PDB file of all heavy atoms in Angstrom:
ATOM      1  N   ARG G   1       0.851  -1.245  -0.007  1.00 98.00           N
ATOM      2  CA  ARG G   1       0.016   0.030  -0.057  1.00 98.00           C
ATOM      3  C   ARG G   1       0.893   1.204  -0.036  1.00 98.00           C
ATOM      4  O   ARG G   1       1.744   1.419   0.850  1.00 98.00           O
ATOM      5  CB  ARG G   1      -0.932  -0.034   1.224  1.00 98.00           C
ATOM      6  CG  ARG G   1      -1.836   1.251   1.346  1.00 98.00           C
ATOM      7  CD  ARG G   1      -2.860   0.955   2.418  1.00 98.00           C
ATOM      8  NE  ARG G   1      -2.254   0.635   3.682  1.00 98.00           N
ATOM      9  CZ  ARG G   1      -1.970   1.582   4.661  1.00 98.00           C
ATOM     10  NH1 ARG G   1      -2.216   2.859   4.424  1.00 98.00           N
ATOM     11  NH2 ARG G   1      -1.400   1.238   5.813  1.00 98.00           N
ATOM     12  N   ARG G   2       0.601   2.150  -0.931  1.00 97.00           N
ATOM     13  CA  ARG G   2       1.346   3.393  -1.063  1.00 97.00           C
ATOM     14  C   ARG G   2       0.402   4.527  -1.121  1.00 97.00           C
ATOM     15  O   ARG G   2      -0.657   4.465  -1.762  1.00 97.00           O
ATOM     16  CB  ARG G   2       2.253   3.479  -2.286  1.00 97.00           C
ATOM     17  CG  ARG G   2       3.388   2.415  -2.288  1.00 97.00           C
ATOM     18  CD  ARG G   2       4.339   2.578  -3.462  1.00 97.00           C
ATOM     19  NE  ARG G   2       3.737   2.040  -4.643  1.00 97.00           N
ATOM     20  CZ  ARG G   2       3.515   2.703  -5.785  1.00 97.00           C
ATOM     21  NH1 ARG G   2       3.807   4.024  -5.767  1.00 97.00           N
ATOM     22  NH2 ARG G   2       3.052   2.138  -6.828  1.00 97.00           N
ATOM     23  N   GLN G   3       0.698   5.663  -0.415  1.00 97.00           N
ATOM     24  CA  GLN G   3      -0.162   6.855  -0.422  1.00 97.00           C
ATOM     25  C   GLN G   3       0.268   7.803  -1.538  1.00 97.00           C
ATOM     26  O   GLN G   3       1.451   7.981  -1.736  1.00 97.00           O
ATOM     27  CB  GLN G   3       0.002   7.594   0.932  1.00 97.00           C
ATOM     28  CG  GLN G   3      -0.626   6.806   2.074  1.00 97.00           C
ATOM     29  CD  GLN G   3      -2.129   6.533   1.920  1.00 97.00           C
ATOM     30  OE1 GLN G   3      -2.502   5.333   1.747  1.00 97.00           O
ATOM     31  NE2 GLN G   3      -2.954   7.509   1.842  1.00 97.00           N
ATOM     32  N   LYS G   4      -0.728   8.317  -2.256  1.00 97.00           N
ATOM     33  CA  LYS G   4      -0.444   9.315  -3.281  1.00 97.00           C
ATOM     34  C   LYS G   4      -1.126  10.609  -2.797  1.00 97.00           C
ATOM     35  O   LYS G   4      -2.306  10.738  -2.619  1.00 97.00           O
ATOM     36  CB  LYS G   4      -1.183   8.851  -4.560  1.00 97.00           C
ATOM     37  CG  LYS G   4      -1.349   9.978  -5.630  1.00 97.00           C
ATOM     38  CD  LYS G   4      -0.049  10.519  -6.071  1.00 97.00           C
ATOM     39  CE  LYS G   4      -0.261  11.587  -7.173  1.00 97.00           C
ATOM     40  NZ  LYS G   4       0.963  12.276  -7.614  1.00 97.00           N
ATOM     41  N   GLU G   5      -0.258  11.610  -2.543  1.00 98.00           N
ATOM     42  CA  GLU G   5      -0.728  12.902  -2.140  1.00 98.00           C
ATOM     43  C   GLU G   5      -1.447  13.599  -3.300  1.00 98.00           C
ATOM     44  O   GLU G   5      -1.024  13.553  -4.407  1.00 98.00           O
ATOM     45  CB  GLU G   5       0.407  13.746  -1.671  1.00 98.00           C
ATOM     46  CG  GLU G   5       1.032  13.212  -0.306  1.00 98.00           C
ATOM     47  CD  GLU G   5       2.107  14.236   0.252  1.00 98.00           C
ATOM     48  OE1 GLU G   5       2.247  15.315  -0.343  1.00 98.00           O
ATOM     49  OE2 GLU G   5       2.697  13.854   1.286  1.00 98.00           O
ATOM     50  N   LEU G   6      -2.475  14.352  -2.850  1.00 98.00           N
ATOM     51  CA  LEU G   6      -3.280  15.130  -3.823  1.00 98.00           C
ATOM     52  C   LEU G   6      -2.961  16.571  -3.634  1.00 98.00           C
ATOM     53  O   LEU G   6      -2.564  17.085  -2.553  1.00 98.00           O
ATOM     54  CB  LEU G   6      -4.776  14.898  -3.560  1.00 98.00           C
ATOM     55  CG  LEU G   6      -5.308  13.530  -3.677  1.00 98.00           C
ATOM     56  CD1 LEU G   6      -6.786  13.426  -3.326  1.00 98.00           C
ATOM     57  CD2 LEU G   6      -5.119  12.900  -5.083  1.00 98.00           C
ATOM     58  N   ASP G   7      -3.044  17.301  -4.735  1.00 97.00           N
ATOM     59  CA  ASP G   7      -2.704  18.737  -4.737  1.00 97.00           C
ATOM     60  C   ASP G   7      -3.965  19.428  -4.352  1.00 97.00           C
ATOM     61  O   ASP G   7      -4.799  19.694  -5.286  1.00 97.00           O
ATOM     62  CB  ASP G   7      -2.206  19.145  -6.084  1.00 97.00           C
ATOM     63  CG  ASP G   7      -1.758  20.597  -6.155  1.00 97.00           C
ATOM     64  OD1 ASP G   7      -1.703  21.194  -5.072  1.00 97.00           O
ATOM     65  OD2 ASP G   7      -1.666  21.153  -7.234  1.00 97.00           O
ATOM     66  N   THR G   8      -4.170  19.918  -3.169  1.00 98.00           N
ATOM     67  CA  THR G   8      -5.401  20.556  -2.656  1.00 98.00           C
ATOM     68  C   THR G   8      -5.021  21.917  -2.226  1.00 98.00           C
ATOM     69  O   THR G   8      -3.843  22.255  -1.940  1.00 98.00           O
ATOM     70  CB  THR G   8      -6.080  19.786  -1.564  1.00 98.00           C
ATOM     71  OG1 THR G   8      -5.119  19.581  -0.481  1.00 98.00           O
ATOM     72  CG2 THR G   8      -6.449  18.361  -2.047  1.00 98.00           C
ATOM     73  N   ARG G   9      -6.063  22.716  -2.039  1.00 97.00           N
ATOM     74  CA  ARG G   9      -5.857  24.197  -1.634  1.00 97.00           C
ATOM     75  C   ARG G   9      -5.268  24.257  -0.257  1.00 97.00           C
ATOM     76  O   ARG G   9      -5.727  23.562   0.680  1.00 97.00           O
ATOM     77  CB  ARG G   9      -7.203  24.889  -1.742  1.00 97.00           C
ATOM     78  CG  ARG G   9      -7.063  26.369  -1.657  1.00 97.00           C
ATOM     79  CD  ARG G   9      -8.393  27.137  -1.791  1.00 97.00           C
ATOM     80  NE  ARG G   9      -9.082  26.840  -3.061  1.00 97.00           N
ATOM     81  CZ  ARG G   9      -8.814  27.396  -4.171  1.00 97.00           C
ATOM     82  NH1 ARG G   9      -7.947  28.394  -4.269  1.00 97.00           N
ATOM     83  NH2 ARG G   9      -9.496  27.131  -5.365  1.00 97.00           N
ATOM     84  N   ASP G  10      -4.370  25.185  -0.038  1.00 97.00           N
ATOM     85  CA  ASP G  10      -3.725  25.396   1.331  1.00 97.00           C
ATOM     86  C   ASP G  10      -4.692  26.237   2.112  1.00 97.00           C
ATOM     87  O   ASP G  10      -5.498  27.029   1.668  1.00 97.00           O
ATOM     88  CB  ASP G  10      -2.433  26.196   1.097  1.00 97.00           C
ATOM     89  CG  ASP G  10      -1.358  25.261   0.439  1.00 97.00           C
ATOM     90  OD1 ASP G  10      -1.456  24.051   0.595  1.00 97.00           O
ATOM     91  OD2 ASP G  10      -0.460  25.868  -0.156  1.00 97.00           O
ATOM     92  N   PHE G  11      -4.512  26.006   3.503  1.00 97.00           N
ATOM     93  CA  PHE G  11      -5.132  26.777   4.510  1.00 97.00           C
ATOM     94  C   PHE G  11      -4.185  27.710   5.120  1.00 97.00           C
ATOM     95  O   PHE G  11      -2.953  27.413   5.242  1.00 97.00           O
ATOM     96  CB  PHE G  11      -5.769  25.892   5.629  1.00 97.00           C
ATOM     97  CG  PHE G  11      -7.100  25.289   5.218  1.00 97.00           C
ATOM     98  CD1 PHE G  11      -7.349  24.694   4.011  1.00 97.00           C
ATOM     99  CD2 PHE G  11      -8.123  25.265   6.112  1.00 97.00           C
ATOM    100  CE1 PHE G  11      -8.549  24.059   3.693  1.00 97.00           C
ATOM    101  CE2 PHE G  11      -9.402  24.746   5.842  1.00 97.00           C
ATOM    102  CZ  PHE G  11      -9.572  24.104   4.549  1.00 97.00           C
ATOM    103  N   GLU G  12      -4.634  28.838   5.693  1.00 97.00           N
ATOM    104  CA  GLU G  12      -3.878  29.752   6.451  1.00 97.00           C
ATOM    105  C   GLU G  12      -4.704  30.249   7.637  1.00 97.00           C
ATOM    106  O   GLU G  12      -5.862  30.596   7.484  1.00 97.00           O
ATOM    107  CB  GLU G  12      -3.393  30.923   5.648  1.00 97.00           C
ATOM    108  CG  GLU G  12      -2.401  31.925   6.306  1.00 97.00           C
ATOM    109  CD  GLU G  12      -1.011  31.304   6.301  1.00 97.00           C
ATOM    110  OE1 GLU G  12      -0.768  30.460   5.479  1.00 97.00           O
ATOM    111  OE2 GLU G  12      -0.114  31.810   7.107  1.00 97.00           O
ATOM    112  N   THR G  13      -4.124  30.155   8.855  1.00 97.00           N
ATOM    113  CA  THR G  13      -4.853  30.648  10.095  1.00 97.00           C
ATOM    114  C   THR G  13      -4.085  31.844  10.628  1.00 97.00           C
ATOM    115  O   THR G  13      -2.888  31.925  10.654  1.00 97.00           O
ATOM    116  CB  THR G  13      -4.929  29.563  11.116  1.00 97.00           C
ATOM    117  OG1 THR G  13      -3.534  29.137  11.474  1.00 97.00           O
ATOM    118  CG2 THR G  13      -5.727  28.345  10.616  1.00 97.00           C
ATOM    119  N   ILE G  14      -4.979  32.875  10.902  1.00 98.00           N
ATOM    120  CA  ILE G  14      -4.382  34.170  11.483  1.00 98.00           C
ATOM    121  C   ILE G  14      -5.176  34.584  12.698  1.00 98.00           C
ATOM    122  O   ILE G  14      -6.380  34.389  12.761  1.00 98.00           O
ATOM    123  CB  ILE G  14      -4.613  35.242  10.377  1.00 98.00           C
ATOM    124  CG1 ILE G  14      -3.887  34.856   9.020  1.00 98.00           C
ATOM    125  CG2 ILE G  14      -4.076  36.570  10.891  1.00 98.00           C
ATOM    126  CD1 ILE G  14      -4.165  35.822   7.982  1.00 98.00           C
ATOM    127  N   THR G  15      -4.520  35.008  13.670  1.00 98.00           N
ATOM    128  CA  THR G  15      -5.108  35.589  14.910  1.00 98.00           C
ATOM    129  C   THR G  15      -4.820  37.044  14.974  1.00 98.00           C
ATOM    130  O   THR G  15      -3.569  37.439  14.882  1.00 98.00           O
ATOM    131  CB  THR G  15      -4.661  34.824  16.127  1.00 98.00           C
ATOM    132  OG1 THR G  15      -4.929  33.440  16.091  1.00 98.00           O
ATOM    133  CG2 THR G  15      -5.302  35.467  17.430  1.00 98.00           C
ATOM    134  N   ILE G  16      -5.766  37.911  15.101  1.00 97.00           N
ATOM    135  CA  ILE G  16      -5.503  39.348  15.235  1.00 97.00           C
ATOM    136  C   ILE G  16      -6.019  39.812  16.687  1.00 97.00           C
ATOM    137  O   ILE G  16      -7.208  39.605  16.976  1.00 97.00           O
ATOM    138  CB  ILE G  16      -6.284  40.177  14.141  1.00 97.00           C
ATOM    139  CG1 ILE G  16      -5.834  39.720  12.769  1.00 97.00           C
ATOM    140  CG2 ILE G  16      -5.899  41.655  14.375  1.00 97.00           C
ATOM    141  CD1 ILE G  16      -6.549  40.404  11.602  1.00 97.00           C
ATOM    142  N   ASN G  17      -5.081  40.309  17.437  1.00 97.00           N
ATOM    143  CA  ASN G  17      -5.464  40.827  18.762  1.00 97.00           C
ATOM    144  C   ASN G  17      -5.582  42.358  18.720  1.00 97.00           C
ATOM    145  O   ASN G  17      -4.647  43.050  18.481  1.00 97.00           O
ATOM    146  CB  ASN G  17      -4.337  40.367  19.746  1.00 97.00           C
ATOM    147  CG  ASN G  17      -4.755  40.580  21.221  1.00 97.00           C
ATOM    148  OD1 ASN G  17      -5.674  41.214  21.396  1.00 97.00           O
ATOM    149  ND2 ASN G  17      -4.093  39.814  22.074  1.00 97.00           N
ATOM    150  N   PHE G  18      -6.805  42.814  18.992  1.00 96.00           N
ATOM    151  CA  PHE G  18      -7.067  44.237  18.980  1.00 96.00           C
ATOM    152  C   PHE G  18      -7.087  44.900  20.308  1.00 96.00           C
ATOM    153  O   PHE G  18      -7.589  44.235  21.305  1.00 96.00           O
ATOM    154  CB  PHE G  18      -8.403  44.478  18.325  1.00 96.00           C
ATOM    155  CG  PHE G  18      -8.431  44.465  16.796  1.00 96.00           C
ATOM    156  CD1 PHE G  18      -8.988  43.343  16.139  1.00 96.00           C
ATOM    157  CD2 PHE G  18      -7.982  45.510  16.063  1.00 96.00           C
ATOM    158  CE1 PHE G  18      -9.011  43.319  14.724  1.00 96.00           C
ATOM    159  CE2 PHE G  18      -7.964  45.483  14.651  1.00 96.00           C
ATOM    160  CZ  PHE G  18      -8.529  44.409  14.005  1.00 96.00           C
ATOM    161  N   THR G  19      -6.569  46.104  20.449  1.00 95.00           N
ATOM    162  CA  THR G  19      -6.921  46.971  21.663  1.00 95.00           C
ATOM    163  C   THR G  19      -7.901  47.810  21.146  1.00 95.00           C
ATOM    164  O   THR G  19      -8.344  47.976  20.008  1.00 95.00           O
ATOM    165  CB  THR G  19      -5.633  47.682  22.064  1.00 95.00           C
ATOM    166  OG1 THR G  19      -5.286  48.647  21.033  1.00 95.00           O
ATOM    167  CG2 THR G  19      -4.414  46.796  22.327  1.00 95.00           C
ATOM    168  N   GLU G  20      -8.421  48.589  22.075  1.00 93.00           N
ATOM    169  CA  GLU G  20      -9.556  49.540  21.848  1.00 93.00           C
ATOM    170  C   GLU G  20      -9.218  50.567  20.836  1.00 93.00           C
ATOM    171  O   GLU G  20      -9.991  51.049  20.055  1.00 93.00           O
ATOM    172  CB  GLU G  20     -10.098  50.167  23.153  1.00 93.00           C
ATOM    173  CG  GLU G  20     -11.350  50.991  23.017  1.00 93.00           C
ATOM    174  CD  GLU G  20     -11.861  51.445  24.357  1.00 93.00           C
ATOM    175  OE1 GLU G  20     -11.493  50.998  25.382  1.00 93.00           O
ATOM    176  OE2 GLU G  20     -12.739  52.402  24.389  1.00 93.00           O
ATOM    177  N   ASP G  21      -7.887  51.001  20.848  1.00 93.00           N
ATOM    178  CA  ASP G  21      -7.436  52.105  20.041  1.00 93.00           C
ATOM    179  C   ASP G  21      -6.884  51.586  18.674  1.00 93.00           C
ATOM    180  O   ASP G  21      -6.563  52.473  17.856  1.00 93.00           O
ATOM    181  CB  ASP G  21      -6.327  52.840  20.775  1.00 93.00           C
ATOM    182  CG  ASP G  21      -6.903  53.451  22.026  1.00 93.00           C
ATOM    183  OD1 ASP G  21      -8.067  53.851  22.053  1.00 93.00           O
ATOM    184  OD2 ASP G  21      -6.102  53.626  23.061  1.00 93.00           O
ATOM    185  N   ASP G  22      -6.788  50.332  18.447  1.00 94.00           N
ATOM    186  CA  ASP G  22      -6.211  49.820  17.162  1.00 94.00           C
ATOM    187  C   ASP G  22      -7.108  50.180  15.999  1.00 94.00           C
ATOM    188  O   ASP G  22      -8.392  50.075  16.145  1.00 94.00           O
ATOM    189  CB  ASP G  22      -6.038  48.284  17.209  1.00 94.00           C
ATOM    190  CG  ASP G  22      -4.762  47.904  17.945  1.00 94.00           C
ATOM    191  OD1 ASP G  22      -3.813  48.691  17.982  1.00 94.00           O
ATOM    192  OD2 ASP G  22      -4.815  46.823  18.581  1.00 94.00           O
ATOM    193  N   SER G  23      -6.488  50.488  14.835  1.00 93.00           N
ATOM    194  CA  SER G  23      -7.273  50.889  13.658  1.00 93.00           C
ATOM    195  C   SER G  23      -7.252  49.859  12.556  1.00 93.00           C
ATOM    196  O   SER G  23      -6.671  48.790  12.751  1.00 93.00           O
ATOM    197  CB  SER G  23      -6.658  52.255  13.187  1.00 93.00           C
ATOM    198  OG  SER G  23      -5.355  52.039  12.669  1.00 93.00           O
ATOM    199  N   TYR G  24      -7.839  50.209  11.448  1.00 95.00           N
ATOM    200  CA  TYR G  24      -7.782  49.433  10.284  1.00 95.00           C
ATOM    201  C   TYR G  24      -6.420  49.026   9.838  1.00 95.00           C
ATOM    202  O   TYR G  24      -6.154  47.892   9.444  1.00 95.00           O
ATOM    203  CB  TYR G  24      -8.486  50.229   9.181  1.00 95.00           C
ATOM    204  CG  TYR G  24      -8.863  49.496   7.892  1.00 95.00           C
ATOM    205  CD1 TYR G  24     -10.025  48.843   7.779  1.00 95.00           C
ATOM    206  CD2 TYR G  24      -7.952  49.475   6.812  1.00 95.00           C
ATOM    207  CE1 TYR G  24     -10.386  48.163   6.583  1.00 95.00           C
ATOM    208  CE2 TYR G  24      -8.271  48.866   5.620  1.00 95.00           C
ATOM    209  CZ  TYR G  24      -9.445  48.220   5.526  1.00 95.00           C
ATOM    210  OH  TYR G  24      -9.868  47.527   4.362  1.00 95.00           O
ATOM    211  N   GLY G  25      -5.432  49.913  10.051  1.00 96.00           N
ATOM    212  CA  GLY G  25      -4.112  49.686   9.638  1.00 96.00           C
ATOM    213  C   GLY G  25      -3.449  48.550  10.455  1.00 96.00           C
ATOM    214  O   GLY G  25      -2.579  47.794   9.952  1.00 96.00           O
ATOM    215  N   HIS G  26      -3.845  48.352  11.713  1.00 97.00           N
ATOM    216  CA  HIS G  26      -3.426  47.272  12.503  1.00 97.00           C
ATOM    217  C   HIS G  26      -3.778  45.940  11.892  1.00 97.00           C
ATOM    218  O   HIS G  26      -2.970  44.972  11.828  1.00 97.00           O
ATOM    219  CB  HIS G  26      -3.933  47.368  13.969  1.00 97.00           C
ATOM    220  CG  HIS G  26      -3.523  46.297  14.827  1.00 97.00           C
ATOM    221  ND1 HIS G  26      -2.288  45.960  15.222  1.00 97.00           N
ATOM    222  CD2 HIS G  26      -4.313  45.231  15.376  1.00 97.00           C
ATOM    223  CE1 HIS G  26      -2.202  44.915  15.967  1.00 97.00           C
ATOM    224  NE2 HIS G  26      -3.486  44.446  16.122  1.00 97.00           N
ATOM    225  N   ALA G  27      -5.059  45.872  11.456  1.00 97.00           N
ATOM    226  CA  ALA G  27      -5.510  44.605  10.841  1.00 97.00           C
ATOM    227  C   ALA G  27      -4.739  44.323   9.553  1.00 97.00           C
ATOM    228  O   ALA G  27      -4.313  43.210   9.270  1.00 97.00           O
ATOM    229  CB  ALA G  27      -6.986  44.770  10.433  1.00 97.00           C
ATOM    230  N   GLU G  28      -4.433  45.372   8.785  1.00 97.00           N
ATOM    231  CA  GLU G  28      -3.636  45.187   7.555  1.00 97.00           C
ATOM    232  C   GLU G  28      -2.328  44.737   7.892  1.00 97.00           C
ATOM    233  O   GLU G  28      -1.790  43.810   7.161  1.00 97.00           O
ATOM    234  CB  GLU G  28      -3.626  46.518   6.733  1.00 97.00           C
ATOM    235  CG  GLU G  28      -4.917  47.003   6.167  1.00 97.00           C
ATOM    236  CD  GLU G  28      -4.736  48.205   5.321  1.00 97.00           C
ATOM    237  OE1 GLU G  28      -4.208  49.214   5.840  1.00 97.00           O
ATOM    238  OE2 GLU G  28      -5.149  48.227   4.165  1.00 97.00           O
ATOM    239  N   ASP G  29      -1.573  45.247   8.824  1.00 97.00           N
ATOM    240  CA  ASP G  29      -0.257  44.787   9.245  1.00 97.00           C
ATOM    241  C   ASP G  29      -0.235  43.445   9.635  1.00 97.00           C
ATOM    242  O   ASP G  29       0.680  42.617   9.242  1.00 97.00           O
ATOM    243  CB  ASP G  29       0.225  45.725  10.344  1.00 97.00           C
ATOM    244  CG  ASP G  29       0.491  47.174   9.897  1.00 97.00           C
ATOM    245  OD1 ASP G  29       0.594  47.368   8.645  1.00 97.00           O
ATOM    246  OD2 ASP G  29       0.592  48.010  10.775  1.00 97.00           O
ATOM    247  N   GLU G  30      -1.224  42.989  10.415  1.00 97.00           N
ATOM    248  CA  GLU G  30      -1.267  41.588  10.862  1.00 97.00           C
ATOM    249  C   GLU G  30      -1.525  40.600   9.754  1.00 97.00           C
ATOM    250  O   GLU G  30      -0.872  39.575   9.690  1.00 97.00           O
ATOM    251  CB  GLU G  30      -2.305  41.431  11.946  1.00 97.00           C
ATOM    252  CG  GLU G  30      -1.983  42.093  13.274  1.00 97.00           C
ATOM    253  CD  GLU G  30      -0.722  41.621  13.926  1.00 97.00           C
ATOM    254  OE1 GLU G  30      -0.574  40.359  14.076  1.00 97.00           O
ATOM    255  OE2 GLU G  30       0.186  42.496  14.248  1.00 97.00           O
ATOM    256  N   ILE G  31      -2.366  40.990   8.880  1.00 98.00           N
ATOM    257  CA  ILE G  31      -2.661  40.046   7.767  1.00 98.00           C
ATOM    258  C   ILE G  31      -1.519  39.998   6.793  1.00 98.00           C
ATOM    259  O   ILE G  31      -1.262  38.882   6.184  1.00 98.00           O
ATOM    260  CB  ILE G  31      -3.974  40.608   7.061  1.00 98.00           C
ATOM    261  CG1 ILE G  31      -5.236  40.313   7.964  1.00 98.00           C
ATOM    262  CG2 ILE G  31      -4.157  39.885   5.735  1.00 98.00           C
ATOM    263  CD1 ILE G  31      -6.448  41.024   7.478  1.00 98.00           C
ATOM    264  N   ASP G  32      -0.827  41.094   6.576  1.00 98.00           N
ATOM    265  CA  ASP G  32       0.304  41.115   5.686  1.00 98.00           C
ATOM    266  C   ASP G  32       1.500  40.307   6.142  1.00 98.00           C
ATOM    267  O   ASP G  32       2.437  40.147   5.369  1.00 98.00           O
ATOM    268  CB  ASP G  32       0.766  42.599   5.383  1.00 98.00           C
ATOM    269  CG  ASP G  32      -0.250  43.325   4.459  1.00 98.00           C
ATOM    270  OD1 ASP G  32      -1.018  42.666   3.796  1.00 98.00           O
ATOM    271  OD2 ASP G  32      -0.289  44.519   4.517  1.00 98.00           O
ATOM    272  N   ARG G  33       1.477  39.850   7.446  1.00 97.00           N
ATOM    273  CA  ARG G  33       2.501  38.934   7.826  1.00 97.00           C
ATOM    274  C   ARG G  33       2.356  37.555   7.301  1.00 97.00           C
ATOM    275  O   ARG G  33       3.237  36.629   7.423  1.00 97.00           O
ATOM    276  CB  ARG G  33       2.408  38.850   9.425  1.00 97.00           C
ATOM    277  CG  ARG G  33       2.716  40.142  10.102  1.00 97.00           C
ATOM    278  CD  ARG G  33       2.558  39.908  11.645  1.00 97.00           C
ATOM    279  NE  ARG G  33       2.676  41.173  12.450  1.00 97.00           N
ATOM    280  CZ  ARG G  33       3.839  41.742  12.865  1.00 97.00           C
ATOM    281  NH1 ARG G  33       4.977  41.054  12.569  1.00 97.00           N
ATOM    282  NH2 ARG G  33       3.781  42.867  13.521  1.00 97.00           N
ATOM    283  N   HIS G  34       1.270  37.269   6.621  1.00 98.00           N
ATOM    284  CA  HIS G  34       0.889  35.974   6.072  1.00 98.00           C
ATOM    285  C   HIS G  34       0.698  36.082   4.550  1.00 98.00           C
ATOM    286  O   HIS G  34       0.342  37.110   4.012  1.00 98.00           O
ATOM    287  CB  HIS G  34      -0.334  35.424   6.688  1.00 98.00           C
ATOM    288  CG  HIS G  34      -0.299  35.392   8.218  1.00 98.00           C
ATOM    289  ND1 HIS G  34      -0.006  34.183   8.946  1.00 98.00           N
ATOM    290  CD2 HIS G  34      -0.515  36.325   9.199  1.00 98.00           C
ATOM    291  CE1 HIS G  34      -0.012  34.450  10.242  1.00 98.00           C
ATOM    292  NE2 HIS G  34      -0.295  35.741  10.413  1.00 98.00           N
ATOM    293  N   VAL G  35       0.978  34.870   3.911  1.00 97.00           N
ATOM    294  CA  VAL G  35       0.737  34.756   2.534  1.00 97.00           C
ATOM    295  C   VAL G  35      -0.710  34.129   2.378  1.00 97.00           C
ATOM    296  O   VAL G  35      -0.923  32.954   2.788  1.00 97.00           O
ATOM    297  CB  VAL G  35       1.745  33.890   1.774  1.00 97.00           C
ATOM    298  CG1 VAL G  35       1.354  33.671   0.326  1.00 97.00           C
ATOM    299  CG2 VAL G  35       3.085  34.530   1.868  1.00 97.00           C
ATOM    300  N   VAL G  36      -1.703  34.954   1.799  1.00 98.00           N
ATOM    301  CA  VAL G  36      -2.968  34.435   1.860  1.00 98.00           C
ATOM    302  C   VAL G  36      -3.521  34.146   0.346  1.00 98.00           C
ATOM    303  O   VAL G  36      -4.658  33.566   0.226  1.00 98.00           O
ATOM    304  CB  VAL G  36      -3.981  35.423   2.495  1.00 98.00           C
ATOM    305  CG1 VAL G  36      -3.491  35.628   3.933  1.00 98.00           C
ATOM    306  CG2 VAL G  36      -3.999  36.791   1.744  1.00 98.00           C
ATOM    307  N   GLU G  37      -2.817  34.514  -0.574  1.00 98.00           N
ATOM    308  CA  GLU G  37      -3.280  34.396  -2.078  1.00 98.00           C
ATOM    309  C   GLU G  37      -3.674  32.941  -2.373  1.00 98.00           C
ATOM    310  O   GLU G  37      -2.973  31.993  -2.097  1.00 98.00           O
ATOM    311  CB  GLU G  37      -2.269  34.860  -2.952  1.00 98.00           C
ATOM    312  CG  GLU G  37      -2.708  35.011  -4.425  1.00 98.00           C
ATOM    313  CD  GLU G  37      -1.680  35.560  -5.346  1.00 98.00           C
ATOM    314  OE1 GLU G  37      -0.510  35.909  -4.929  1.00 98.00           O
ATOM    315  OE2 GLU G  37      -1.999  35.815  -6.511  1.00 98.00           O
ATOM    316  N   LYS G  38      -4.867  32.800  -2.859  1.00 98.00           N
ATOM    317  CA  LYS G  38      -5.495  31.560  -3.370  1.00 98.00           C
ATOM    318  C   LYS G  38      -5.618  30.566  -2.203  1.00 98.00           C
ATOM    319  O   LYS G  38      -6.027  29.371  -2.433  1.00 98.00           O
ATOM    320  CB  LYS G  38      -4.605  30.878  -4.434  1.00 98.00           C
ATOM    321  CG  LYS G  38      -4.456  31.719  -5.713  1.00 98.00           C
ATOM    322  CD  LYS G  38      -3.621  30.985  -6.765  1.00 98.00           C
ATOM    323  CE  LYS G  38      -3.528  31.869  -8.018  1.00 98.00           C
ATOM    324  NZ  LYS G  38      -2.712  31.191  -9.063  1.00 98.00           N
ATOM    325  N   LYS G  39      -5.572  30.929  -0.935  1.00 98.00           N
ATOM    326  CA  LYS G  39      -5.747  30.033   0.210  1.00 98.00           C
ATOM    327  C   LYS G  39      -7.146  30.118   0.851  1.00 98.00           C
ATOM    328  O   LYS G  39      -7.813  31.059   0.606  1.00 98.00           O
ATOM    329  CB  LYS G  39      -4.689  30.252   1.184  1.00 98.00           C
ATOM    330  CG  LYS G  39      -3.266  29.993   0.783  1.00 98.00           C
ATOM    331  CD  LYS G  39      -2.272  30.225   1.911  1.00 98.00           C
ATOM    332  CE  LYS G  39      -0.857  29.936   1.532  1.00 98.00           C
ATOM    333  NZ  LYS G  39       0.130  30.146   2.609  1.00 98.00           N
ATOM    334  N   VAL G  40      -7.446  29.127   1.584  1.00 98.00           N
ATOM    335  CA  VAL G  40      -8.560  29.260   2.551  1.00 98.00           C
ATOM    336  C   VAL G  40      -8.035  29.906   3.803  1.00 98.00           C
ATOM    337  O   VAL G  40      -7.135  29.395   4.500  1.00 98.00           O
ATOM    338  CB  VAL G  40      -9.182  27.887   2.850  1.00 98.00           C
ATOM    339  CG1 VAL G  40     -10.334  28.060   3.943  1.00 98.00           C
ATOM    340  CG2 VAL G  40      -9.724  27.204   1.626  1.00 98.00           C
TER     341      VAL G  40
END
């Protein structure tokens, strides 16, 4: 028995920790730390 890997879509998990004063830019910075193109 041999396993054949399939080419399936990658997943990416991201956690964003907000303070009360954080802005839209904070979300952008946290997301830009990750490669998300074509991923779930």
Side-chain angles (χ1 to χ4, degrees):
R1 179 170 57 93
R2 292 186 286 121
Q3 292 302 112
K4 164 63 179 177
E5 291 187 4
L6 301 176
D7 183 15
T8 58
R9 194 179 299 278
D10 291 332
F11 278 48
E12 188 77 17
T13 57
I14 301 173
T15 300
I16 304 176
N17 193 340
F18 280 104
T19 67
E20 188 175 345
D21 297 328
D22 282 328
S23 64
Y24 190 88
H26 174 68
E28 289 185 307
D29 291 342
E30 291 300 308
I31 291 167
D32 287 340
R33 297 175 186 273
H34 303 262
V35 177
V36 301
E37 188 174 4
K38 297 183 179 179
K39 295 182 179 180
V40 176

